[in-house]
Amino acid sequence: MDANQQELTKMMLQATLLANLALLKEQMPAIYDVFRDYTPSDTGVAIDEASNINLYNKDKFVYQENPKDFAHKQVAEFLAEPLYFKFIIQHQDDDSIVFEHAALLKSIYNVRKAETDNKINNPAEEKRLDFVCVLGGGLGYQIEELFNKKDVLNVLLFEPSKDTFYALLHCIELKPLFDKCTANGGQFSIRVGGSEDGVINEISKILFENGHFNISQVLFLKHYDSPLIEKTVERIRGIGHRWAAGWGFFEDEIIGISHTLANLNAKFPVLKKPELVNNSLRQHPVYIVANGPSLDSAIEFLKTNQNNIIIISCGTALRALLSNNIKPDIHIEMERTAGLLEWVESINRTSGLTIKLDEINIIALNTVYDNILKRFKSAHLLSKVNDAGGRLIRALDTKKQFTYPDYSNPTVSNTALATAIELGFEDVYLVGIDLGFESKEHHHSKHSIYFDNDFKHKKVVEKGIEGAFVVKGNFTEEVFTTSIFDSSKGNLELLLQKNLNVKVFNTANGAFIRYTEPKHIKDINDIKAIANKQDRIASLLNKATSLEQLSPYNIESKMDVIKSKTKYALEQLLAYTSVSFNSREELADIFNIQNKSLLTLKNGNADDIVVYWLIQGSFRYFQAYIMTSSYYYSDLEKRAGFINACVDAFNEHMKGIYLEFIENYNKPSKI
């Protein structure tokens, strides 16, 4: 390359940089602010001996061949054998299915299995790729080549190095790539630097904004190896399942509404904001006790010190404590189905217990069955934030006095920690919150119902443990865990990250929980006496809860509005899919529009948000599963027929569940 050509190349590189900066200023101002006056430290774009535009790092060129040729080969290899994440649903056995949504999802699976070989050969063979994560930008030529070979709807570009991304800004024009995505209703997102968790969160954000049906196949184009990219891939393998966790179904929310109304009718008061509560016990430590295997080694400590520590029991840990004559100060429940009553009543059937349920205070999520709460000494409600019943309370709360903590599920340990923080406690010990186990045979406390000879749910528990995987341990190098335990751990960490003023010690020999300090229970000493503990707990719960604004008239008036708005929203949403689809791409485009319409409810007024939480989970699950199942069909005509049959069945399902809602919202739940 002569001097004139070299100068011309440099001018083109500069022009590309300026064009990209202009785009970033308009579309991604936060990234623009980083790179508008950027000076690279050790990596930059340069012209190599073969006159190729190359990446220069630590006194040598990164690409050992023409970077464009390398990119073309890489894309060809990616399209032939992509790395991808697939959405999966674990179906129940037929005799265990109670809900209509579970039956319909299983029927979709059965049809797919009967009509195909039940395998996805290569999702990159699709006419359009709906979601591609590019891990490592390099000079960006692989992204251009991907767009030359395929239509792409959503892209996330993750470049760990700021220097390398700055080099990329000189080499490819981003605007045509942005425009292609947005023209199809998708988006082109960029993340530079940060952590592997930042990538996970960015993917979650894209799925939320553009529809979780895009989780059906998320493809990963890895451009180069780096420690952070490898950690990102491993993190996705480890916790990618959280992207599809806890959406709930319309039928679940009907139960939640029914139980919420029954609890309010029973005059169970709702927990107020922490700033409205003066907790005179806040300086005393709270021991949150769950039913993990390590509870067994903590029993003697709890028994010896119970008069001078505050004990909050979680779910099935209650019987383990009572069997050892340990009385919790507050019990926590969070499961919504009435079937939980059987577990609670097993305590009354346990011989030799001297402490009765009617001597114990309970705080439960608003969704818990009222006949459970009525068995306790005093009952109080914690509003579940991402829940139709919790949002109903919020819609009634015009004075904004109640509290709505994030991360109160998916397990009762999450509810308990959220409750302790909302009550104002700042010194917390986790006991038996293992969220994992060293041995698959010792998965809960030996004192609990799980090890009773006549426990009839043994097979269900054992099946949940079959898919256990390994995570970092609290005191040991690693322990087994399950998807639900891992999701619980993730939400505990998110809650603690928001409340760094709360000091939390983890005494459990289970999964390591970030933002906690590992501490063996035998090393806890210097326990100060608590005078009049029971009276002070009762006073705290009385001050911390209220029924103001929750009169029967206010509730029924609000429900009339909710029923009407739900009908209107479903008519609008189902109208989008009341058409015939010729391809998977057409379905994805309509699902995208449907998702945007759902999000307008989420961003609406308090009543709209109740409607959103009533129906959003069913739309997300069925969109994702119908889309996932469509990939199993290589015969495009059969695929279209399958898609239309699934969508029609879903539309009828939602109409039927709406009728169930308006007929049964204020009646006892069916399960």
Side-chain angles (χ1 to χ4, degrees), residues 277-555:
V277 182
N278 181 18
N279 183 355
S280 66
L281 291 164
R282 70 167 58 242
Q283 301 303 322
H284 292 279
V286 166
Y287 288 74
I288 298 177
V289 182
N291 201 21
S294 65
L295 171 57
D296 294 343
S297 59
I299 288 292
E300 284 306 314
F301 172 89
L302 296 172
K303 186 185 294 188
T304 301
N305 295 288
Q306 64 175 305
N307 292 329
N308 291 313
I309 60 175
I310 298 165
I311 299 175
I312 297 179
S313 59
C314 300
T316 55
L318 180 59
R319 205 197 75 168
L321 293 176
L322 297 185
S323 296
N324 287 279
N325 209 30
I326 300 168
K327 178 184 174 184
D329 300 293
I330 300 170
H331 180 60
I332 305 290
E333 291 289 357
M334 58 84 65
E335 296 290 347
R336 84 171 75 226
T337 61
L340 178 62
L341 180 60
E342 175 190 345
W343 295 66
V344 173
E345 287 192 329
S346 72
I347 293 171
N348 291 332
R349 297 193 300 270
T350 303
S351 61
L353 298 187
T354 59
I355 303 167
K356 306 300 181 185
L357 293 181
D358 61 10
E359 300 173 47
I360 300 168
N361 306 300
I362 186 171
I363 297 178
L365 291 182
N366 54 276
T367 53
V368 173
Y369 185 39
D370 64 308
N371 279 328
I372 293 170
L373 303 187
K374 288 173 181 176
R375 281 156 170 74
F376 287 81
K377 175 184 177 183
S378 71
H380 314 265
L381 306 177
L382 176 68
S383 296
K384 186 178 178 183
V385 63
N386 295 333
D387 167 81
R391 289 289 172 167
L392 173 64
I393 292 173
R394 197 166 190 160
L396 291 161
D397 182 18
T398 56
K399 294 185 177 180
K400 302 188 185 326
Q401 67 170 330
F402 300 126
T403 192
Y404 311 95
D406 291 317
Y407 314 119
S408 63
N409 63 317
T411 74
V412 69
S413 300
N414 300 96
T415 313
L417 182 60
T419 299
I421 292 173
E422 294 305 307
L423 285 172
F425 291 106
E426 297 176 350
D427 195 8
V428 178
Y429 289 81
L430 307 183
V431 180
I433 302 183
D434 294 48
L435 302 176
F437 35 88
E438 286 190 287
S439 162
K440 292 184 181 181
E441 287 71 43
H442 188 191
H443 44 75
H444 288 84
S445 167
K446 295 286 187 183
H447 297 278
S448 67
I449 191 174
Y450 295 98
F451 293 97
D452 286 0
N453 291 329
D454 60 350
F455 177 53
K456 66 181 183 180
H457 300 292
K458 263 186 170 57
K459 287 186 178 178
V460 176
V461 174
E462 289 167 0
K463 187 174 181 180
I465 290 166
E466 282 175 9
F469 53 94
V470 169
V471 294
K472 179 181 177 182
N474 191 41
F475 294 123
T476 56
E477 187 173 335
E478 56 187 31
V479 295
F480 293 105
T481 193
T482 65
S483 294
I484 189 72
F485 283 160
D486 188 59
S487 293
S488 176
K489 180 175 92 78
N491 273 1
L492 287 173
E493 291 171 343
L494 290 169
L495 178 61
L496 292 173
Q497 189 178 28
K498 282 185 64 175
N499 295 276
L500 295 175
N501 62 304
V502 180
K503 184 69 175 173
V504 182
F505 299 93
N506 186 3
T507 73
N509 188 25
F512 174 77
I513 301 172
R514 284 189 291 178
Y515 308 106
T516 71
E517 179 181 324
K519 187 164 189 171
H520 290 285
I521 202 157
K522 62 182 175 60
D523 295 331
I524 301 172
N525 46 44
D526 192 28
I527 296 172
K528 297 183 175 70
I530 304 177
N532 305 315
K533 186 176 73 157
Q534 294 302 318
D535 291 341
R536 292 169 73 184
I537 291 288
S539 175
L540 169 63
L541 294 177
N542 184 53
K543 289 188 300 182
T545 57
S546 172
L547 272 167
E548 189 182 2
Q549 311 170 92
L550 303 176
S551 70
Y553 174 80
N554 286 352
I555 293 168

Side-chain angles (χ1 to χ4, degrees), residues 128 152-153 176-188 589:
R128 186 179 76 193
V152 185
L153 186 61
L177 310 180
F178 270 63
D179 290 346
K180 282 184 180 179
C181 289
T182 54
N184 288 328
Q187 72 179 73
F188 192 111
D589 292 342

Side-chain angles (χ1 to χ4, degrees), residues 98-117:
V98 175
F99 292 106
E100 290 178 34
H101 65 254
L104 181 54
L105 288 167
K106 183 78 174 281
S107 71
I108 290 173
Y109 169 80
N110 289 337
V111 171
R112 183 187 88 195
K113 186 178 178 183
E115 293 185 346
T116 71
D117 60 4

Side-chain angles (χ1 to χ4, degrees), residues 569-582:
L570 285 174
E571 287 172 348
Q572 300 300 306
L573 288 162
L574 298 181
Y576 293 125
T577 47
S578 297
V579 296
S580 182
F581 296 96
N582 297 310

